[in-house]
Amino acid sequence: MSMSEQMRFIVQELNKEPFSKSYNLISFDSLEPLQLLQVLNDVLAIIDPKQKMDLREEAPDQTAVRIFQILRVLKYKPPDHVNMSQFRAGIVQGEKPIIFPILEWLLQKVPELQKRAYLAKFLVKIDIPAEIMQDEEVNAIYVQYEELMEQFKEMHKQSEQLKNSGFNTAEIRKDITNMEEEKEQLIKRIERLRRKVESHPNSQKMMAVAKNLRVERDREKRLAAQKQEQQTNITHLDQRIKRLEAQLRDMRQASVGATPSTMIQKLEEESRTNSFIVKEQLPKDIAQRKKMIQNLQKVVSVPAMGHSDLEELNAKITELNAEVNQLIEKRMKSGDPADDKLSLFRQQAAIIAHKKQAAAETLRAIRDEFNHVQTEVEQKREVVNTAEGAEVLKGEDFKRYVNKLRSKSTIYKKKRAELAELRAESGVLTRTEEILKQRCDLINRQLSVLEKKKGVAGYRETQEELEKVSTIKSEFDEMKGRTLDDMSEMVRRLHAEIADRRNTLAPILREIRPLREKVRELTPDYDNKKQVYERQQAGYDSNMSKLEQEVKGYREECRAEESRYHYLNCMMKVLQVQQARVANEMKAYVSSDAQEKKKTFREIYSKKIQEQENLSRGLREKQKMVKDNHEPNMKQMKLWKDLERLLICKKQCLEQMNNIGSTTGANTMGGYGDQAPTLLENDRLVL
């Protein structure tokens, strides 16, 4: 954009709200540097109200620093052809090539910059020296400050989302009024129906029946909804069963021919892969991301760089690369043979590490793709489930739906027929246009041939161009006349305004002259006192920092000595308790009283040792007796088990005999009874 277009845009924007200036191109171009800086400050004051100030009441260096700070907050980047020193000098001196681009950039995005200035008031962190941050209380307050800043970010995001969510208070109020009107209409209608029903003779019975009917219909709707919900749940469960069966089938297919060793080997490989990713790959990625974030933070914190700064950085990079190459050549020249032998293995290790890293990246990409596909599958399943769970139309609703579809199909057929007619007509018109163009070209060629025959070739084109030029010239003359009239009127008004301003400013200038002389007299005294103050302030700051360091060292020493004192005090108390116990033990051991001697730890532990020895002796004897009687006891136990089985068998035989005796008579009973003594005798023999 040229300077004139830039200035025209600035003047147009300044004449609008909320600036409400009355500039034109000439008056704006004739502004003094201080007045131009005041215009820039007024625009910044609209963006950030804290910048509202009269520059005549502020020192130039303070004005420049303040403007630099607000432009840095707003993230303004100077043009590439302007370096930082020229940019700073241009702002201080109010140069137009520097101020105009700033005004253009500010006026293009005023609402966005107002929002950024508002947020900067809360999100620009306070710079605290590292010495002060070492204090625990200050550090805790700073951490709380950062947490509150994050909370502000979240709340601002929520506020913006609510503002952009589409809720409008006017629409909501309108809906509320409409709903209230509908409510009043419904109340009136209910009153009319109630009066009409009360006039009926059987109104109470009919009301009761209608109430029961309504209750039953509501119940029917609830039951239908429950039925639909149960059917939806059944379909979901069926789909889940199918998915689980498919997973089970896949697992069984995967487990065909698998052995515990192969499964363990597979799990070990997967574990090694995951451990490599977690221990080696992820820390590298995290470190790389952190480094990138630090670089971005450095770039954000550093002011905008110009072309010269970039050239300096590129020169430094080339110098460092050259130094690195020289060092590599020196190392290669001074390399040992042993290092040369190991270089092959190093290269192989580097190749293997590179392959390992590439495989890890491939695995991660495949896993990400798998997760993405899984999420898509889940979303599609949810869509299918919702489509299956949609309401099914029945009865009258289905008929209305079919009629609606038929009406739409008829409308669609009519529109399609109209579209076909329009397409046919469009084809005819395009063909007509082509024929007319061909005829026009043929007539133009014939005219050109006739012009050549008559010796006036190009007459028609020249006549058309002359007509165009004449029309353009007439328009330009009219515009030039209007511009001259406007400029003469503007010059007349400017002269009148300048005269008025001179008349109004004359008494003010007469009052300012003695004040300016007084300022010139007081300025050297002010500068001297300011320098003395700055020197004293620097001395006080240096002494204060030294004293703070000394106080910090003394506090650390006091803290260390206090901790050492408490530790030694505790150890001394422990030793005193142990010494008292030793003295009591010695006193009881030396004492002639037998009861006192029994209380000593030596006697107590000796008594316990003797008791344990007696107990172990008794247990050993018991163990020996058990070992000696083991075989006879096992034999006796076997005999008792055999006896138990024999008695069970006899019991079963007697039960069978009783069952048979009830059917066959006494002879069988007597015959079986003759065998009983024999069985008993055999039992005695076994015993």
Side-chain angles (χ1 to χ4, degrees), residues 377-393:
V377 169
E378 292 296 330
Q379 290 175 359
K380 289 181 180 179
R381 281 176 181 166
E382 290 178 358
V383 171
V384 170
N385 293 333
T386 53
E388 290 178 357
E391 186 179 357
V392 180
L393 298 175

Side-chain angles (χ1 to χ4, degrees), residues 55-103:
L55 298 184
R56 292 175 295 183
E57 299 175 357
E58 189 179 22
D61 53 351
Q62 294 179 357
T63 303
V65 170
R66 184 168 55 78
I67 293 174
F68 290 151
Q69 289 178 352
I70 187 63
L71 290 177
R72 179 172 169 271
V73 170
L74 298 177
K75 295 184 179 180
Y76 171 74
K77 293 182 180 180
D80 296 333
H81 63 277
V82 179
N83 56 23
M84 291 305 295
S85 60
Q86 292 177 356
F87 180 70
R88 296 189 184 95
I91 289 180
V92 172
Q93 296 172 5
E95 296 178 357
K96 294 178 182 178
I98 302 298
I99 303 298
F100 282 179
I102 299 174
L103 285 171

Side-chain angles (χ1 to χ4, degrees), residues 167-177:
F167 293 110
N168 192 354
T169 55
E171 293 179 358
I172 293 169
R173 288 175 181 170
K174 187 177 179 181
D175 293 338
I176 290 169
T177 53

Side-chain angles (χ1 to χ4, degrees), residues 48-156:
D48 186 6
K50 292 192 297 183
Q51 306 298 325
K52 191 172 183 181
M53 188 175 293
D54 190 355
L55 298 184
R56 292 175 295 183
E57 299 175 357
E58 189 179 22
D61 53 351
Q62 294 179 357
T63 303
V65 170
R66 184 168 55 78
I67 293 174
F68 290 151
Q69 289 178 352
I70 187 63
L71 290 177
R72 179 172 169 271
V73 170
L74 298 177
K75 295 184 179 180
Y76 171 74
K77 293 182 180 180
D80 296 333
H81 63 277
V82 179
N83 56 23
M84 291 305 295
S85 60
Q86 292 177 356
F87 180 70
R88 296 189 184 95
I91 289 180
V92 172
Q93 296 172 5
E95 296 178 357
K96 294 178 182 178
I98 302 298
I99 303 298
F100 282 179
I102 299 174
L103 285 171
E104 181 189 6
W105 184 78
L106 293 174
L107 293 170
Q108 284 177 351
K109 46 179 77 174
V110 172
E112 181 183 350
L113 296 176
Q114 285 177 344
K115 182 179 177 182
R116 186 177 293 173
Y118 168 73
L119 293 175
K121 184 169 62 174
F122 302 101
L123 297 181
V124 175
K125 292 185 178 180
I126 302 169
D127 294 330
I128 299 176
E131 295 83 6
I132 299 174
M133 284 295 292
Q134 291 178 359
D135 192 357
E136 295 179 356
E137 186 176 358
V138 175
N139 194 3
I141 293 170
Y142 193 76
V143 170
Q144 186 179 3
Y145 165 70
E146 290 180 343
E147 292 176 354
L148 291 172
M149 191 179 289
E150 294 296 329
Q151 291 179 5
F152 174 76
K153 289 180 182 178
E154 295 296 329
M155 296 300 292
H156 183 71

